[in-house]
Amino acid sequence: MRKIKTARRKLTLDTPFVRPVKENWYEVWSASGVVLGHGDAEAAAELVVANLPPGRGPAVPGTADDLGGAEPGVAPDPARR
């Protein structure tokens, strides 16, 4: 297991979130508290991505500093680390 260090915690209140219901079964909720659907991990992730606010995309590896000036949705350049 890899330990992840986060220098700054940035929370967002406008994206969907996932709640585990039972083993390998999840509920996906909108930021406003509406259930968007249920499913396994893959289906839940697809629901989250499909319901992201405009201008948002899936997570990319790296830190905020790594991404400085990068275009949204583009993975950071590993050479900059």
Side-chain angles (χ1 to χ4, degrees):
M1 178 178 279
R2 209 168 81 182
K3 194 170 188 178
I4 298 173
K5 179 181 176 188
T6 304
R8 295 180 294 230
R9 178 176 281 192
K10 292 185 179 182
L11 300 176
T12 181
L13 301 176
D14 63 347
T15 59
F17 62 94
V18 178
R19 184 178 77 89
V21 176
K22 59 183 179 181
E23 188 171 339
N24 198 33
W25 196 253
Y26 304 89
E27 249 177 10
V28 180
W29 292 71
S30 71
S32 62
V34 175
V35 176
L36 300 171
H38 304 83
D40 63 10
E42 186 175 341
E46 288 172 0
L47 273 169
V48 169
V49 172
N51 288 281
L52 289 172
R56 297 279 176 91
V60 296
T63 67
D65 292 332
D66 293 337
L67 298 173
E71 293 197 29
V74 177
D77 181 354
R80 292 182 56 193
R81 291 187 182 182

